[in-house]
Amino acid sequence: MCTLGCLAGQPLKSLETAARIVAADCPDCQLPGSIKGSQAILRGMPADVDALVLSNDRLSEAYNVVKLAAPAIAAAVRPGQFVMVREDHAGAPLLRRPFSVFEILRDAAGEPTGFSLLNKQVGVVTRALYALEPGAHLQCLGPLGQPFSVAAPSGAAWMVAGGVGLAPFATLAEALRAQGTPATLFYGGRSVRDLYYAGWFERLGVRVVLATEDGSRGEAGLITAPLQRELAALPAATELMIHACGPTGMMRAVAQLAQALGRSTEVSLEPVMGCGLGGCYSCVVPVRTGPQAAASQLVRSCLHGPVFPGDRVVWNELAPAH
Amino acid sequence: MLNAIGLQGIGVRRFIDERLPPLRDQRAVVIVNICGTTVHEYAELARILSDAPGVAALELNISCPNIKEGGITFGCSLQGAHDVVAAVRRATPLPVIPKLTPNVTDVASFARAAEEAGADAVSLVNTFLAMAIDVETRRPRLSNVFGGLSGPAIRPIAVRMVYECRQAVRIPIMGMGGIMTADDVVEFLIAGADAVQVGTANFVDPFIWPKLLDGLTAYLARHGHGAVRDIVGTVEIPDRSATTAPQRIST
Ligand SMILES: Cc1cc2nc3c(=O)[nH]c(=O)nc-3n(C[C@H](O)[C@H](O)[C@H](O)COP(=O)(O)OP(=O)(O)OC[C@H]3O[C@@H](n4cnc5c(N)ncnc54)[C@H](O)[C@@H]3O)c2cc1C
Ligand SMILES: Cc1cc2nc3c(=O)[nH]c(=O)nc-3n(C[C@H](O)[C@H](O)[C@H](O)COP(=O)(O)O)c2cc1C
Ligand code: FES
């Protein structure tokens, strides 16, 4: 039987798998006969959607929210997963960039029709995303990566976001609230200009705790201060999962605070990603081989992350700057 | 794409234990790309892999710009390239395919050295040593300062090098460097490659393979060819003495 055909039902998780299928030593699959197998290769792969830009809401001089039509991705995405994005025109950078799926867009019947990106300008592609006009297209590959675990309804879930690190929490908050898990969002930024969508989370029934470094909204200082107070006050019997996404320093502080009190964390790391598919090894992060293990290994965060248990990350070996 | 990713192989033992069995199960043709810091290490790797069932051939990476020792230091000296290939040749019955670096003045002489040392084929090109600077901070974009350049930016240079090697050796050539479309594949074949590899394009478009295969098949059909080998090395270089027209620009 044709190898391409044989594998038709199997999900392809990475380029490695795709490569071994194309290279299959099968008399039926050699050129030019292999073409019949193309469709088999595609099954189980993430969707590559030429997504129509529905709107671009510029929240400030740095932040914007782009809404995209992409039902295939919207229907498949789980909390904390990401897409690899590229503008498909001459002059656009070659490599795609990773972005968390922010809101899921739905039609009147509740069917997923697309999703939005929460974007912060830092360079070439993020500037282009800020400038997008409705009617343009964005090539989106996804959903990719390991999702957040969704805490049991009986426990509590806390989300800790710094700036644009809010992005993966919209899908998580929806999943938590849909099953009735009490959820809290600790949300910090430099100033009020870095905090958006607090009302969106409140409308879902999420308790929101805010902090800004300049005191322009919420508590003055770092978001880890109220987090630490509430952690200390929480009854030991209350089950809790803490999720964090934001600057590395913030995630590290959250992981260490929680670990000191025996609480579990999940952090969503944001290393540079060249492909998002396990092919290039640009995204490796040092992760301990077991919960208490001294030994660590480099793993690809696009495949094994971006979400990792906070106590597994070897923080002082993580590349700086992100 | 400019990368300083280095070689993140899991080691030959783990490769044989963990990666090879599933590939074997899928009946994949596995060409293992190996890199060492000494001639002895290359030969040792070749010996170990020769005993592992399911390895079809060895590609010798004597051209990685991202590691300080070994690799490219062999690829940049004719004697070094010859010694590595000869040592691996003695160590294994498997086909030996040295992979050449483009960071030399005359790549064809390296292909010839490889052929003389007993290589069964050569592959080229690896990445070009390159550098990019963030003009705001005036710092190199890569912490390694230099990295390896791949992707469409290098394709015309890679095509030229494949063409030069085709003139220099009789062994098969595996061509690569910036292939993004089926026309790019065809270009390498016409320049003299017997087969091609695709690297960077996979990172941009994981669906590139079926597209390349479709396009290549369509090209062969359009030109009435039954097999890929019919177009290998078929570039037609016009007789220059006969042309007086000014050279055009090719983009
Ligand atoms: C899983 C994941 C999810 C992400 N989700 C979002 C999101 O929802 N919204 C969002 O705005 N951003 C998100 N990011 C970060 C985003 O991918 C980068 O900001 C983007 O790749 C920068 O591309 P650029 O072309 O604008 O920058 P470039 O022009 O390529 O680089 C400009 C500067 O930004 C720095 N930079 C590049 N990549 C990163 C990075 N990953 N983190 C921090 N600095 C970087 C470069 O070092 C350089 O100094 C996410 C990253 C990951 C890995
Ligand atoms: C991220 C990355 C990793 C690579 N790793 C290797 C390697 O381990 N061994 C090797 O011989 N070449 C390696 N290369 C070089 C490629 O195999 C190829 O020769 C080169 O990138 C040109 O082809 P391309 O433009 O299609 O990518 C690597 C290239 C990239 C971009
Ligand atoms: S981004 Fe390429 S391997 Fe993870």
Side-chain angles (χ1 to χ4, degrees):
Chain A
M1 202 203 294
C2 164
T3 312
L4 295 169
C6 317
L7 288 167
Q10 277 183 241
L12 297 183
K13 293 223 178 73
S14 68
L15 283 182
E16 277 163 25
T17 337
R20 81 175 181 235
I21 285 172
V22 175
D25 179 20
C26 167
D28 286 330
C29 297
Q30 277 161 16
L31 272 174
S34 60
I35 307 314
K36 64 182 163 23
S38 308
Q39 294 315 307
I41 299 176
L42 306 188
R43 221 180 298 169
M45 289 279 278
D48 192 11
V49 178
D50 188 29
L52 176 70
V53 175
L54 303 170
S55 67
N56 181 359
D57 185 9
R58 297 186 182 96
L59 305 172
S60 71
E61 274 151 35
Y63 289 86
N64 64 312
V65 173
V66 179
K67 291 191 170 154
L68 300 160
I73 295 176
V77 71
R78 290 190 285 157
Q81 286 190 299
F82 66 98
V83 288
M84 291 296 288
V85 164
R86 154 166 219 267
E87 276 190 289
D88 192 9
H89 62 66
L94 181 66
L95 298 177
R96 297 176 188 246
R97 303 292 198 270
F99 287 87
S100 301
V101 168
F102 185 42
E103 305 149 279
I104 305 289
L105 312 178
R106 294 190 172 82
D107 64 15
E111 289 299 312
T113 56
F115 62 89
S116 68
L117 303 177
L118 174 63
N119 175 61
K120 182 187 182 188
Q121 295 195 64
V122 300
V124 182
V125 171
T126 47
R127 274 199 297 274
L129 290 191
Y130 187 85
L132 279 177
E133 294 297 341
H137 283 80
L138 206 57
Q139 203 68 33
C140 298
L141 179 74
L144 299 166
Q146 304 301 322
F148 285 120
S149 54
V150 179
S154 57
W158 292 1
M159 297 167 275
V160 190
V164 74
L166 182 71
F169 291 138
T171 49
L172 178 60
E174 278 196 336
L176 290 167
R177 295 304 300 144
Q179 62 173 30
T181 305
T184 303
L185 172 68
F186 294 83
Y187 184 17
R190 292 228 172 86
S191 82
V192 64
R193 285 189 307 279
D194 292 310
L195 302 184
Y196 303 96
Y197 275 70
W200 187 96
F201 282 85
E202 278 167 344
R203 281 193 293 281
L204 271 181
V206 176
R207 187 172 67 95
V208 176
V209 178
L210 299 175
T212 51
E213 287 171 42
D214 67 1
S216 50
R217 181 123 185 246
E219 184 170 325
L222 298 176
I223 193 63
T224 41
L227 176 74
Q228 186 166 19
R229 277 200 314 272
E230 293 205 18
L231 260 179
L234 192 76
T238 311
E239 264 181 59
L240 174 69
M241 174 57 101
I242 304 174
H243 312 267
C245 185
T248 303
M250 184 207 87
M251 289 193 281
R252 176 184 189 156
V254 172
Q256 290 174 345
L257 278 178
Q259 204 176 345
L261 294 169
R263 298 295 189 175
S264 303
T265 51
E266 284 184 341
V267 294
S268 182
L269 302 181
E270 297 200 346
V272 170
M273 286 187 181
C275 72
L277 293 153
C280 75
Y281 285 72
S282 65
C283 63
V284 293
V285 292
V287 169
R288 261 180 267 285
T289 49
Q292 306 296 326
S296 67
Q297 59 182 3
L298 292 170
V299 303
R300 287 163 288 179
S301 32
C302 63
L303 287 187
H304 303 283
V307 174
F308 291 98
D311 58 1
R312 290 284 190 94
V313 177
V314 188
W315 293 99
N316 51 11
E317 287 173 20
L318 205 59
H322 319 311
Chain B
M1 174 182 193
L2 182 58
N3 92 80
I5 286 166
L7 299 176
Q8 304 196 19
I10 55 175
V12 69
R13 303 279 179 205
R14 275 186 66 195
F15 172 79
I16 290 171
D17 292 344
E18 297 171 25
R19 300 280 166 92
L20 205 47
L23 291 169
R24 210 158 43 217
D25 293 346
Q26 308 292 354
R27 294 184 292 146
V29 177
V30 180
I31 301 177
V32 185
N33 179 282
I34 61 174
C35 188
T37 54
T38 61
V39 171
H40 177 74
E41 228 174 82
Y42 278 96
E44 189 60 26
L45 282 167
R47 238 186 310 274
I48 295 169
L49 284 161
S50 307
D51 294 335
V55 177
L58 299 177
E59 186 178 59
L60 314 184
N61 183 1
I62 51 171
S63 43
C64 180
N66 290 331
I67 55 168
K68 293 197 177 67
E69 304 256 303
I72 201 163
T73 52
F74 295 108
C76 286
S77 118
L78 282 172
Q79 189 63 50
H82 185 280
D83 290 351
V84 171
V85 175
V88 173
R89 174 72 292 154
R90 283 193 297 274
T92 181
L94 293 171
V96 174
I97 313 169
K99 180 164 171 184
L100 307 181
T101 175
N103 299 305
V104 294
T105 313
D106 178 18
V107 72
S109 61
F110 285 82
R112 228 176 283 118
E115 185 175 46
E116 281 161 14
D120 297 283
V122 287
S123 56
L124 67 146
V125 296
N126 209 312
T127 54
F128 288 76
L129 203 57
M131 176 175 183
I133 301 167
D134 181 331
V135 297
E136 297 303 323
T137 61
R138 302 190 186 195
R139 291 191 171 184
R141 286 198 182 268
L142 295 176
S143 52
N144 268 19
V145 184
F146 298 153
L149 188 67
S150 65
I154 68 170
R155 200 188 78 242
I157 320 180
V159 170
R160 184 261 290 175
M161 291 182 164
V162 165
Y163 172 75
E164 286 176 337
C165 288
R166 183 72 289 158
Q167 312 307 307
V169 297
R170 305 176 73 88
I171 51 177
I173 295 173
M174 240 190 296
M176 80 206 76
I179 291 175
M180 302 296 291
T181 67
D183 279 358
D184 300 344
V185 173
V186 172
E187 188 182 19
F188 272 93
L189 296 171
I190 292 175
D194 297 273
V196 299
Q197 294 183 28
V198 178
T200 304
N202 292 290
F203 306 152
V204 183
D205 180 2
F207 303 104
I208 195 82
W209 278 103
K211 290 174 193 166
L212 296 180
L213 292 174
D214 283 339
L216 178 57
T217 311
Y219 178 90
L220 294 176
R222 197 163 72 245
H223 290 265
H225 297 296
V228 167
R229 65 175 166 278
D230 295 347
I231 61 169
V232 169
T234 56
V235 60
E236 295 178 15
I237 309 284
D239 178 0
R240 279 182 224 182
S241 60
T243 50
T244 49
Q247 299 294 305
R248 296 223 195 89
I249 292 170
S250 166
T251 50

